[in-house]
Coordinates of all heavy atoms in Angstrom, one line a residue:
T12 N 0.8 -1.2 0.0 CA 0.0 0.1 0.0 C 0.9 1.3 0.0 O 0.6 2.2 -0.7 CB -0.9 0.0 1.3 OG1 -1.7 -1.1 1.2 CG2 -1.8 1.3 1.2
T13 N 1.9 1.3 0.8 CA 2.8 2.4 0.9 C 3.5 2.6 -0.5 O 3.6 3.7 -1.0 CB 3.9 2.2 1.9 OG1 3.2 2.0 3.2 CG2 4.8 3.4 2.1
S14 N 3.9 1.5 -1.1 CA 4.6 1.6 -2.4 C 3.7 2.2 -3.4 O 4.0 3.0 -4.2 CB 5.0 0.2 -2.8 OG 5.6 0.2 -4.1
R15 N 2.3 1.7 -3.4 CA 1.4 2.2 -4.4 C 1.1 3.7 -4.2 O 1.0 4.5 -5.1 CB 0.1 1.5 -4.3 CG 0.2 0.0 -4.8 CD -1.1 -0.6 -5.2 NE -2.1 -0.6 -4.0 CZ -2.2 -1.7 -3.3 NH1 -1.6 -2.7 -3.4 NH2 -3.2 -1.6 -2.3
Q16 N 1.0 4.1 -2.9 CA 0.8 5.5 -2.7 C 1.9 6.4 -3.1 O 1.7 7.4 -3.6 CB 0.5 5.7 -1.2 CG -0.8 5.1 -0.7 CD -0.9 5.2 0.9 OE1 0.1 5.4 1.6 NE2 -2.2 5.0 1.3
N17 N 3.1 5.9 -2.9 CA 4.3 6.7 -3.3 C 4.5 6.7 -4.8 O 4.9 7.6 -5.4 CB 5.6 6.0 -2.8 CG 5.7 6.3 -1.2 OD1 5.0 7.1 -0.7 ND2 6.4 5.5 -0.5
Q18 N 4.0 5.6 -5.6 CA 4.3 5.5 -7.0 C 3.3 6.3 -7.8 O 3.6 6.8 -8.7 CB 4.2 4.0 -7.3 CG 4.7 3.6 -8.8 CD 4.6 2.2 -9.0 OE1 3.8 1.5 -8.4 NE2 5.5 1.7 -9.9
G19 N 2.0 6.3 -7.3 CA 1.0 6.9 -8.0 C 0.3 6.0 -9.1 O 0.9 5.0 -9.5
F20 N -1.1 6.3 -9.3 CA -1.8 5.3 -10.2 C -1.2 5.2 -11.6 O -1.1 4.1 -12.1 CB -3.3 5.9 -10.2 CG -4.1 5.0 -11.1 CD1 -4.6 3.8 -10.7 CD2 -4.6 5.5 -12.3 CE1 -5.4 3.1 -11.6 CE2 -5.5 4.8 -13.2 CZ -5.8 3.5 -12.7
L21 N -1.0 6.3 -12.2 CA -0.5 6.2 -13.6 C 0.9 5.5 -13.8 O 1.2 4.7 -14.6 CB -0.4 7.6 -14.3 CG -1.8 8.3 -14.5 CD1 -1.5 9.7 -15.1 CD2 -2.7 7.4 -15.4
A22 N 1.7 5.8 -12.8 CA 3.0 5.2 -12.8 C 2.9 3.6 -12.6 O 3.6 2.9 -13.2 CB 4.0 5.8 -11.7
E23 N 2.0 3.3 -11.7 CA 1.8 1.9 -11.4 C 1.3 1.2 -12.6 O 1.6 0.1 -12.9 CB 0.8 1.7 -10.2 CG 0.6 0.3 -9.8 CD -0.6 0.2 -8.9 OE1 -1.6 0.9 -9.0 OE2 -0.5 -0.6 -7.9
M24 N 0.3 1.8 -13.3 CA -0.2 1.2 -14.5 C 0.8 1.1 -15.6 O 0.9 0.0 -16.2 CB -1.4 2.1 -14.9 CG -2.1 1.6 -16.2 SD -3.4 2.6 -16.9 CE -4.4 2.8 -15.4
G25 N 1.7 2.1 -15.8 CA 2.7 2.0 -16.7 C 3.7 0.9 -16.4 O 4.1 0.2 -17.3
Q26 N 4.1 0.7 -15.2 CA 4.9 -0.4 -14.7 C 4.3 -1.8 -15.1 O 5.0 -2.6 -15.5 CB 5.3 -0.2 -13.3 CG 6.3 -1.2 -12.8 CD 7.7 -1.1 -13.6 OE1 8.2 0.0 -13.7 NE2 8.2 -2.2 -14.0
A27 N 3.0 -1.9 -14.8 CA 2.4 -3.1 -15.0 C 2.4 -3.4 -16.6 O 2.6 -4.5 -17.0 CB 0.9 -3.1 -14.6
I28 N 2.1 -2.4 -17.4 CA 2.1 -2.6 -18.9 C 3.6 -3.0 -19.3 O 3.7 -4.0 -20.1 CB 1.7 -1.3 -19.5 CG1 0.3 -1.1 -19.3 CG2 1.9 -1.5 -21.1 CD1 -0.2 0.3 -19.8
L29 N 4.6 -2.4 -18.8 CA 6.0 -2.7 -19.1 C 6.3 -4.2 -18.7 O 7.1 -4.8 -19.5 CB 6.9 -1.7 -18.5 CG 6.9 -0.4 -19.1 CD1 8.0 0.6 -18.4 CD2 7.1 -0.3 -20.6
T30 N 5.8 -4.5 -17.6 CA 6.0 -5.9 -17.2 C 5.4 -7.0 -18.1 O 6.0 -8.0 -18.6 CB 5.4 -6.2 -15.8 OG1 6.0 -5.2 -14.8 CG2 5.6 -7.6 -15.3
G31 N 4.2 -6.7 -18.6 CA 3.5 -7.6 -19.5 C 4.2 -7.6 -20.8 O 4.4 -8.6 -21.4
I32 N 4.7 -6.4 -21.2 CA 5.5 -6.3 -22.5 C 6.7 -7.2 -22.5 O 7.2 -7.9 -23.3 CB 5.8 -4.9 -22.9 CG1 4.4 -4.2 -23.3 CG2 6.8 -4.9 -24.1 CD1 4.7 -2.7 -23.6
S33 N 7.5 -7.1 -21.2 CA 8.7 -7.8 -21.1 C 8.5 -9.2 -21.2 O 9.4 -10.1 -21.6 CB 9.4 -7.4 -19.8 OG 8.6 -7.8 -18.7
Y34 N 7.4 -9.8 -20.6 CA 7.2 -11.3 -20.7 C 6.7 -11.6 -22.1 O 6.8 -12.8 -22.5 CB 6.2 -11.6 -19.7 CG 6.8 -11.8 -18.3 CD1 6.7 -10.8 -17.4 CD2 7.4 -13.0 -17.9 CE1 7.2 -10.9 -16.1 CE2 7.9 -13.1 -16.6 CZ 7.8 -12.1 -15.7 OH 8.4 -12.2 -14.5
M35 N 6.1 -10.7 -22.8 CA 5.6 -11.0 -24.2 C 6.7 -11.1 -25.2 O 6.6 -11.9 -26.2 CB 4.6 -10.0 -24.6 CG 4.0 -10.1 -25.9 SD 2.8 -8.9 -26.3 CE 3.8 -7.5 -26.5
I36 N 7.7 -10.3 -25.0 CA 8.9 -10.3 -26.0 C 9.4 -11.7 -26.3 O 9.5 -12.0 -27.6 CB 9.8 -9.3 -25.6 CG1 9.3 -7.9 -25.8 CG2 11.1 -9.4 -26.5 CD1 10.3 -6.8 -25.2
P37 N 9.8 -12.5 -25.4 CA 10.2 -13.8 -25.8 C 9.3 -14.7 -26.5 O 9.7 -15.5 -27.5 CB 10.5 -14.6 -24.4 CG 10.6 -13.4 -23.4 CD 9.8 -12.4 -23.9
V38 N 8.0 -14.5 -26.4 CA 7.0 -15.2 -27.1 C 7.1 -14.8 -28.6 O 7.1 -15.5 -29.5 CB 5.6 -15.0 -26.7 CG1 4.6 -15.7 -27.5 CG2 5.5 -15.4 -25.2
I39 N 7.2 -13.5 -28.8 CA 7.3 -12.8 -30.1 C 8.5 -13.4 -30.8 O 8.6 -13.7 -32.0 CB 7.3 -11.3 -30.0 CG1 5.9 -10.9 -29.4 CG2 7.5 -10.7 -31.4 CD1 6.0 -9.3 -29.1
V40 N 9.6 -13.3 -30.1 CA 10.9 -13.8 -30.6 C 10.9 -15.2 -31.0 O 11.4 -15.6 -32.2 CB 12.1 -13.5 -29.7 CG1 13.4 -14.2 -30.2 CG2 12.3 -12.1 -29.4
A41 N 10.3 -16.1 -30.2 CA 10.3 -17.5 -30.5 C 9.4 -17.7 -31.8 O 9.7 -18.5 -32.6 CB 9.7 -18.2 -29.4
A42 N 8.2 -17.1 -31.8 CA 7.3 -17.1 -33.0 C 8.0 -16.7 -34.3 O 8.0 -17.4 -35.3 CB 6.1 -16.4 -32.7
G43 N 8.7 -15.5 -34.1 CA 9.4 -14.9 -35.3 C 10.5 -15.9 -35.8 O 10.7 -16.1 -37.1
L44 N 11.3 -16.5 -34.9 CA 12.4 -17.4 -35.2 C 11.8 -18.7 -36.0 O 12.3 -19.1 -37.1 CB 13.1 -17.8 -34.1 CG 14.1 -16.8 -33.5 CD1 14.7 -17.3 -32.2 CD2 15.2 -16.6 -34.5
M45 N 10.7 -19.2 -35.5 CA 10.1 -20.4 -36.1 C 9.6 -20.2 -37.4 O 9.9 -20.8 -38.5 CB 8.9 -20.9 -35.2 CG 9.3 -21.4 -33.8 SD 10.5 -22.8 -33.8 CE 12.0 -21.8 -33.3

């Protein structure tokens, strides 16, 4: 809760999106290589 309050809603949302993208990239690379 303290972390979220310090980070802010938009910053938290942005970090979540970047996390999703970082996990998605290996999938894209693997598909592209095949």
Side-chain angles (χ1 to χ4, degrees):
T12 301
T13 302
S14 175
R15 293 201 298 267
Q16 290 173 345
N17 291 338
Q18 189 178 29
F20 177 73
L21 292 178
E23 179 190 42
M24 184 184 297
Q26 184 61 49
I28 293 170
L29 291 181
T30 299
I32 291 172
S33 67
Y34 280 96
M35 180 179 68
I36 288 174
V38 178
I39 296 169
V40 171
L44 283 174
M45 296 303 102

